[in-house]
Amino acid sequence: MTTAEETLPTGGMLAVRPARSAGGDRPRRLRPAAAFAGTALAFVAVALAVGAPSPLFVLYEQQWGFQPWLLTVAFAIYAVTLLITLLIAGSLSDHIGRRPVLIGALALQVVAMLIFLFAPDIGWIIGARSVQGVATGAAMSTFTAALVELAPERQKKLGATIGSTAPVGGIAIGAFLTGLAVQFVPQPTIVVFVALALLFAAGIVVIAVSPETVERRPGAVRSLIPRLFVPRAARAEFARAIPLFLATWMLAGLFIGLSPSILHGVFHLDSGLLNGAIVAVPPAVGAVAALLLTRAPARITAVWAMAAILVGVALAAVGIGAGILALLFVGATIAGGGFGAGFAAVLRILAPLAPNDQRAELFAGVFLVSYLAYGVPALVAGELITTIGLLPTVLGYAAAIAVASVVALVVQAIKPRR
């Protein structure tokens, strides 16, 4: 009978050594490098599914004829269910292991994709987004922790960087590919959701044969009590990072949640390709910027990233107000670079401050704050659109992002006490 993997401390991190079975044979597990790559790709698939439905929402509206504010509900319900799941299950993998949580989360993603695929009306889409939010909330902090732990010993920062860029880059790829499908494929929903379901099924297989990186420990049931816990060593940096989380993820909410409405309501464009492109540009540029700046000093990167968001969101607001589409895309590109670089820089600062058995809980706190900034303002914006109109709402949203980025820039520029 095969025993569980043994987890040995090495230099402050946990190294995984598969345990021998009773017959002396080792269980079949992927090599660490292959497990790291496969886990990263599975995480990207989760983010692909986050961005994929956005270009389809306008198509659903045209087909089913529902009120536009329901698009905002479909967007926001994902963030709400994700946040609740993070509060309840964000640290569960610290107790029962990374693999069980990730396999369960990916299985739920398959269920969500099937609901999307067979949805007959907007109510089913909202239900699918709810299931997707639960699945993503369970996976988000666990994937990020697993990537840090599976990364090569001398490249732990690479794990944190990929953990921050996989959600960003995956959202971009998912939105753009769906936009292409809407533009050029007769039945885009079938292509998109069947492909995603197959990716998640492959991810389940990869996780099942990957090594476990933490030992089981007591307290799993108690960990389900909703709470936000940040390890003591990381609390000061976590508090300093909150304005940055607000600026970066409010920006993501603006482009992912509202940009299709902006293209339709302000520019009178209904192109699936353009819808996918405007959703994809900020996270795509952000992912590239984060990867290119992996070796740059994290604190300096965070400061310049906030400056980029400030400039980019100002240009985007001018483009929206003046009806200049090219300027909107330029602003989205600059701000997107700040989004990815800033978020990755802060994760590089925070990741080493938590031990393995508290790292998922730390990242649960990070994503809890981030997705509050992502979902709540967009939900409020959806309500304001019906009362004060689309253009004033979007410009006010951009102004709020600018204020948050200024605060974050100042906080990050002040040298922290040691």
Side-chain angles (χ1 to χ4, degrees):
M1 183 174 65
T2 304
T3 61
E5 290 85 5
E6 296 175 5
T7 309
L8 303 177
T10 58
M13 305 299 291
L14 292 182
V16 177
R17 186 181 73 186
R20 291 183 181 274
S21 65
D25 296 326
R26 289 182 180 275
R28 294 182 178 180
R29 295 284 182 228
L30 289 176
R31 293 179 180 274
F36 175 72
T39 301
L41 290 174
F43 196 12
V44 170
V46 171
L48 280 172
V50 175
S54 293
L56 293 170
F57 284 164
V58 175
L59 186 65
Y60 291 142
E61 184 180 2
Q62 294 170 351
Q63 289 178 345
W64 296 331
F66 52 82
Q67 293 296 317
W69 63 269
L70 284 170
L71 290 178
T72 308
V73 174
F75 166 79
I77 195 68
Y78 162 80
V80 171
T81 53
L82 184 148
L83 290 169
I84 294 171
T85 306
L86 275 174
L87 276 173
I88 295 173
S91 63
L92 181 62
S93 72
D94 287 336
H95 297 272
I96 68 172
R98 310 294 186 219
R99 287 168 52 211
V101 173
L102 292 178
I103 290 171
L106 292 173
L108 268 182
Q109 292 282 7
V110 174
V111 172
M113 296 307 105
L114 294 177
I115 298 173
F116 274 122
L117 181 61
F118 296 107
D121 55 45
I122 187 62
W124 282 73
I125 297 298
I126 293 172
R129 289 291 274 179
S130 301
V131 176
Q132 187 182 28
V134 172
T136 307
M140 191 71 69
S141 61
T142 306
F143 263 121
T144 308
L147 286 170
V148 173
E149 292 153 8
L150 288 169
E153 191 61 37
R154 295 183 179 180
Q155 296 179 322
K156 292 300 178 184
K157 287 184 179 180
L158 178 62
T161 300
I162 292 178
S164 64
T165 55
V168 177
I171 289 171
I173 297 169
F176 186 70
L177 291 179
T178 300
L180 287 176
V182 170
Q183 193 72 29
F184 299 113
V185 176
Q187 295 180 309
T189 54
I190 294 177
V191 173
V192 169
F193 295 121
V194 168
L196 285 170
L198 292 175
L199 281 176
F200 290 132
I204 291 172
V205 174
V206 169
I207 299 301
V209 296
S210 294
E212 182 57 80
T213 56
V214 294
E215 290 181 317
R216 289 177 177 266
R217 62 187 178 95
V221 175
R222 184 178 299 174
S223 75
L224 298 177
I225 299 173
R227 65 172 185 165
L228 174 61
F229 175 80
V230 177
R232 183 179 299 275
R235 288 175 188 173
E237 287 293 354
F238 185 89
R240 290 166 57 85
I242 288 174
L244 186 144
F245 295 149
L246 295 177
T248 52
W249 286 93
M250 283 178 67
L251 179 79
L254 173 64
F255 284 100
I256 296 172
L258 297 180
S259 57
S261 298
I262 293 169
L263 287 180
H264 175 75
V266 175
F267 296 96
H268 309 292
L269 297 170
D270 291 313
S271 166
L273 185 59
L274 279 177
N275 279 335
I278 192 62
V279 172
V281 164
V285 176
V288 173
L291 289 172
L292 291 177
L293 296 172
T294 300
R295 297 183 180 276
R299 187 77 61 190
I300 295 174
T301 300
V303 171
W304 283 104
M306 293 304 96
I309 287 180
L310 182 60
V311 172
V313 79
L315 290 175
V318 173
I320 294 168
I324 304 173
L325 185 61
L327 193 56
L328 170 60
F329 270 91
V330 170
T333 301
I334 296 171
F339 167 37
F343 187 62
V346 168
L347 258 63
R348 283 194 281 134
I349 293 171
L350 288 172
L353 301 180
N356 271 28
D357 61 358
Q358 295 179 351
R359 187 168 288 120
E361 198 159 25
L362 169 63
F363 287 133
V366 169
F367 286 112
L368 179 69
V369 175
S370 298
Y371 274 89
L372 278 171
Y374 175 73
V376 173
L379 185 60
V380 173
E383 295 296 322
L384 290 177
I385 287 172
T386 61
T387 56
I388 66 175
L390 176 64
L391 188 58
T393 299
V394 171
L395 295 179
Y397 199 137
I401 295 171
V403 170
S405 64
V406 169
V407 174
L409 189 155
V410 172
V411 170
Q412 292 297 321
I414 298 172
K415 187 176 181 179
R417 294 181 180 180
R418 295 295 181 187

